[in-house]
Structures are given as C-alpha cells and as structure tokens.
Amino acid sequence: MSRYKELTKKISSYFTKDKDKTKSKFKRFIFGMRFTDGFAYKLIIYLMLFGLGYIYLYPLMYMISYSFMTMTDIIDVSVNWIPTKFTLENYRLVWEAINYPRAFLDAIILAGLPALSATISSALIGYGFAKYDFPFKKTLMVLMILTFIIPPQVTMMPTFRMYARYDLLGSIKTFIYPAILGQGFNGAIYILIFYSFFRMIPNSLMESAQLDGAGPVKIFMKIAIPLAVPAIIIVFLFSFVWYYNETYLSGLFLRDSNMLTLPLRVQQYIDSYASLYPEGSLASELMQSAKLAGNILTILPLLVLFFFTQKYFVEAIDKTGITGE
C-alpha cells in the first residue's frame, strides 16, 4: 500500500512540474524574454506596419489597377480592382498627347541642372559655415534658416516681380540662378546637411594639409569633397525629387514656357480635357483611366531612380545623420 502511495505521489509531482514548465514556455512565447520579443509584441508591430503600408500603398495600387481598365470596366460598377481585360490604350493616349519622350527629357533637364547647381553651392556654403569664422556668421546662419521657415508662397509675389525685372520668367534660369546662390527650393536644408557633415571632419586633418602646403581650395577639393560623398548623394537626390515634383512655383515661373516639368505637362493635358468635358460628365468619368495612367507615367521615373539608388540613398542618410541618431 505504501509503495502504491509513493508511486502516485511521484506521478502527481511529475505532472505538476510538466504543467509549470508548459505554462512558462507559453508565457515566454506570448510575452518574450529580456532580449527577445514575444508573439504579442510582434503581432502588434506587424499589424501597425500592415496598416501604415496599406494607407501609403492604397492610392498607388488604385492608380495601377484602374489605369489598365477599359472604358467598359470604368462604367461597370461590378468591376473593382481587377480589370476584365488589361489594356495599354490609356497609356498610349497620354504618351502621344504630351509627347512623353520630349516631356521626360525636359523634366530631367529642369530637375537635374538646378539640383546639380544646388548641390555645388550648398557644399561651398556649408563648408564655409562649418570651417571658417567671419563677421556676422551667426546672423547669416539665422537668416539662412529663416529662408526655410518662411513659406515660399509668402514671398511669391516679390520673387515673381524680381524675376520679371531681370527677365528670367519662362525659362530654366528661374531655377538655376537661385540654386547657384543657395536659395533654390529648400536650399537651407541642403546647406544644413553639408554644415553638419563638414563639422564632423576633424580640424586637425585640415591643419595637417596646411602644414604640407595645401591651400583652402586644395583642402576643400582634395579632402572635404571626397569625404562628403554621402552628403553629396543625399542632397542631389533630395533636390532632384523636389524640383521634379514641384508644380505650384514651377507653374508660376515657367508660365508660357515650352519647357515644363512632367507633372505640369500631365496636369496641362488633364486641364485641356476638363475644359471640353466638365467634371461629373460621363465623358469625364470615362477619362479617369487616362488621368491615372498619366499619373503613373509621372511617378515612374522617380520609382526607377529610387530602385537603382536605394542602396546609396539609405547609406547616405545613415552617414549624414538625417535619421536623428
């Protein structure tokens, strides 16, 4: 009898230990441990990422889906997201209407030349602020930051009159000249990026070059610029994208010009059609696919650019400290 009780006690103890062990495993699986995340934490993170991704990707997915639809699919309420028949007719309409190859070349020139000018001038100005002391340096720094704080719409009319006085309106010079002087679109941001990057370069490196007989220009070209490649990449890409996407000031300064940015060229095509067929009419609804195809053709060059430069883009952001770390 005593052996029976002892055996029962051992079996009971074994199952109690096994139950505690299973409970501990389940708790670790749900809530994690000190250095590992649990299932509940991962589930919350993935749900948040999925929600944010859906918010950002929904307009793009909508444009892609409806840009391949035929007019029959557009007026058929039973067709959603997936066209009954994929067509490239909408893209052909926009391609021929805006002469896409010429519009694309104009957009690259209008964004590329000012972006290159802004990158060169910002590097020079940022290097001067970072490595030299001169009178009214802090005052000039504050004025430079104010150019970013004040919205360009506030200074739009004086700027427009000034450009008109110097006969710059309607040409790419309205973009290039301010960029050369460090006052292009969001020019203060580029200067601050170079300023913070050049400040990280130790002064002892510059002093060593001076002892070897290098002048200020040679130090800038041979030491500062090679070290600032990540900043150059990020500034050029930011500037290129901002000039490429700009529509408000571009529409004002490039009015009556043969060269327009790609978003403005597509908008011009949409406006010309809207003047013939007012918003809300059946014809206007039928052209929704063509409008969306035009938007896809507008953003396609930027998507291709980011696809090929994303490695350098991420590395440059990390090295220039834009992430705020």
Side-chain angles (χ1 to χ4, degrees):
M1 191 61 184
S2 60
R3 290 186 60 188
Y4 173 74
K5 285 183 178 179
E6 186 178 346
L7 181 61
T8 305
K9 190 176 179 181
K10 285 183 177 179
I11 292 174
S12 176
S13 173
Y14 175 78
F15 279 108
T16 302
K17 287 181 180 177
D18 189 59
K19 187 178 178 181
D20 292 341
K21 194 174 179 182
T22 303
K23 189 177 178 181
S24 177
K25 279 185 177 179
F26 180 76
K27 191 175 179 181
R28 287 201 301 269
F29 173 73
I30 294 296
F31 300 106
M33 295 181 67
R34 187 174 180 182
F35 298 108
T36 57
D37 300 326
F39 176 77
Y41 178 79
K42 290 179 180 176
L43 181 64
I44 293 172
I45 293 296
Y46 277 107
L47 285 175
M48 289 176 63
L49 290 175
F50 181 78
L52 290 172
Y54 179 77
I55 291 172
Y56 281 103
L57 290 179
Y58 177 84
L60 184 62
M61 292 188 295
Y62 181 89
M63 284 195 297
I64 294 174
S65 172
Y66 280 74
S67 66
F68 287 104
M69 285 188 179
T70 61
M71 292 187 179
T72 307
D73 287 343
I74 289 292
I75 59 176
D76 189 350
V77 293
S78 64
V79 178
N80 283 311
W81 291 106
I82 301 176
T84 56
K85 179 184 177 183
F86 283 88
T87 178
L88 295 174
E89 181 64 16
N90 302 311
Y91 288 90
R92 188 190 65 79
L93 282 174
V94 180
W95 185 286
E96 294 180 353
I98 65 173
N99 189 7
Y100 188 79
R102 174 61 189 275
F104 173 74
L105 181 62
D106 289 348
I108 295 299
I109 294 172
L110 283 170
L113 291 180
L116 184 63
S117 304
T119 304
I120 295 172
S121 63
S122 302
L124 285 168
I125 299 170
Y127 183 76
F129 275 122
K131 294 299 178 186
Y132 291 97
D133 288 324
F134 47 87
F136 307 110
K137 176 180 175 180
K138 291 183 179 179
T139 305
L140 292 173
M141 195 80 175
V142 171
L143 289 175
M144 184 265 295
I145 294 172
L146 281 178
T147 61
F148 174 70
I149 295 174
I150 299 174
Q153 289 80 4
V154 175
T155 58
M156 179 182 63
M157 286 309 297
T159 306
F160 182 84
R161 290 176 65 85
M162 182 177 68
Y163 288 170
R165 182 183 302 170
Y166 292 112
D167 196 24
L168 299 178
L169 293 177
S171 73
I172 193 175
K173 289 184 285 188
T174 55
F175 287 170
I176 292 181
Y177 286 1
I180 290 174
L181 298 174
Q183 287 301 305
F185 295 155
N186 300 312
I189 292 181
Y190 314 142
I191 295 172
L192 287 175
I193 289 174
F194 278 113
Y195 171 75
S196 60
F197 191 86
F198 285 132
R199 276 181 62 87
M200 291 190 295
I201 299 176
N203 289 330
S204 57
L205 196 61
M206 311 294 182
E207 291 166 0
S208 299
Q210 283 180 329
L211 290 176
D212 291 338
V217 177
K218 194 169 185 179
I219 291 174
F220 176 72
M221 296 299 295
K222 297 291 184 181
I223 296 177
I225 289 298
L227 292 174
V229 170
I232 292 171
I233 292 174
I234 196 68
V235 165
F236 180 80
L237 288 178
F238 271 146
S239 181
F240 183 88
V241 172
W242 265 317
Y243 275 105
Y244 184 92
N245 285 327
E246 171 60 39
T247 56
Y248 184 71
L249 295 176
S250 300
L252 182 68
F253 297 147
L254 296 177
R255 190 169 49 183
D256 302 327
S257 171
N258 291 326
M259 291 185 71
L260 292 176
T261 60
L262 200 50
L264 277 178
R265 190 73 71 180
V266 172
Q267 186 60 44
Q268 196 179 53
Y269 163 71
I270 294 174
D271 291 342
S272 63
Y273 198 88
S275 62
L276 296 175
Y277 303 100
E279 197 69 28
S281 63
L282 179 60
S284 176
E285 292 297 322
L286 293 175
M287 285 301 292
Q288 289 297 323
S289 297
K291 295 176 184 175
L292 295 174
N295 292 334
I296 292 293
L297 288 174
T298 301
I299 64 175
L300 187 61
L302 293 183
L303 294 178
V304 174
L305 175 68
F306 181 74
F307 178 79
F308 285 106
T309 60
Q310 58 176 328
K311 177 185 174 185
Y312 306 103
F313 186 76
V314 174
E315 286 180 359
I317 286 181
D318 183 46
K319 290 180 180 177
T320 51
I322 295 178
T323 56
E325 295 175 358

